[in-house]
Amino acid sequence: RHPAVTAFLAQENAQKALEAGVTTIRNLNSVDGIDLAMRDLINMGKMIGPRMFVSGLGIRITRSTAPPAPIGIMADGVDAVIHAVRQVIASGTDWVKMYGSTGGFDDVTQAQTFTFEEMKAAVDAAHTLGKKVAIHSYGPGGARDAVRAGADSLEHATGMDDQTIAEMVKRKIYYIPTIDHNQLRGERRHGLPFPAGHETAAARLHSAQF
């Protein structure tokens, strides 16, 4: 499907969100600049929807995955991460999305991906350019290093220890639990091509957020 078609069709959901009382949303990780286009059209008054803050493509490490390939910019090492952050911001984004761990859809392993040094480099590069960083995290390790690195928000973030939570409070880092995200994934598991054992793992992730 052409990105322009996707953006056109997405305006229905944007209007529904506004009618439900949602006046501001973030969209983290989108292909082909669709989120940027929707944000700009809404700001121009040409599309009805809530105010949008967007990240464009998320930043991921290079790793072996089964097809289809994950959506995002692949970066390995501090220099590559800094370049990716600058590339994302140059495209016109409001935020930078970074995948600090595995976890999501068919992968519930919760393994840390980027190192602390890479996360810190991303945060510093983004903050220097006046932008904020959201770090995707499942499991204690990725969350701990994301907080130490100075992320502005932590997405999902299951399995955090008390010390990490206390540090988040101290640094005023936002926690986005995305409870409905994991619940919906569990409810629709039978219609999706998830591997054996995913149902139990998804349920465990959901319960870990309470």
Side-chain angles (χ1 to χ4, degrees):
R1 178 187 294 170
H2 193 281
V5 175
T6 301
F8 180 83
L9 294 175
Q11 67 180 319
E12 180 180 350
N13 286 334
Q15 185 166 346
K16 286 180 179 178
L18 189 61
E19 291 171 348
V22 178
T23 60
T24 304
I25 63 172
R26 288 187 312 160
N27 192 84
L28 302 178
N29 196 38
S30 177
V31 297
D32 300 320
I34 294 170
D35 55 344
L36 293 161
M38 291 183 65
R39 178 201 63 189
D40 293 348
L41 287 167
I42 289 170
N43 289 344
M44 293 165 61
K46 302 300 183 181
M47 180 183 288
I48 298 173
R51 179 175 56 173
M52 293 182 66
F53 292 95
V54 303
S55 73
L57 287 169
I59 301 173
R60 303 173 180 268
I61 64 165
T62 301
R63 62 190 184 94
S64 177
T65 57
I71 298 169
I73 298 174
M74 306 303 165
D76 303 293
V78 168
D79 289 343
V81 165
I82 292 173
H83 177 75
V85 167
R86 291 172 177 168
Q87 181 180 351
V88 167
I89 293 173
S91 72
T93 64
D94 307 296
W95 282 71
V96 173
K97 170 73 177 288
M98 188 176 202
Y99 287 85
S101 78
T102 59
F105 293 101
D106 63 338
D107 185 343
V108 290
T109 53
Q110 306 185 67
Q112 183 170 344
T113 53
F114 286 107
T115 64
F116 164 74
E117 290 76 16
E118 290 169 326
M119 293 185 194
K120 184 68 165 59
V123 170
D124 288 347
H127 287 178
T128 296
L129 295 173
K131 302 297 182 180
K132 296 182 178 181
V133 178
I135 297 185
H136 165 110
S137 175
Y138 282 96
R144 186 181 308 114
D145 279 351
V147 170
R148 290 175 56 216
D152 298 284
S153 74
L154 208 55
E155 315 299 313
H156 319 300
T158 59
M160 290 187 292
D161 55 43
D162 291 343
Q163 184 177 356
T164 297
I165 294 172
E167 190 66 19
M168 287 181 70
V169 174
K170 178 181 177 181
R171 293 173 179 255
K172 298 181 179 180
I173 296 172
Y174 289 99
Y175 172 40
I176 316 299
T178 59
I179 295 172
D180 287 343
H181 168 274
N182 287 337
Q183 182 175 359
L184 181 65
R185 183 174 60 187
E187 290 173 350
R188 296 188 177 179
R189 61 188 178 275
H190 299 303
L192 298 171
F194 291 147
H198 175 87
E199 177 180 344
T200 301
R204 187 166 58 248
L205 283 180
H206 182 253
S207 63
Q209 292 177 305
F210 291 92

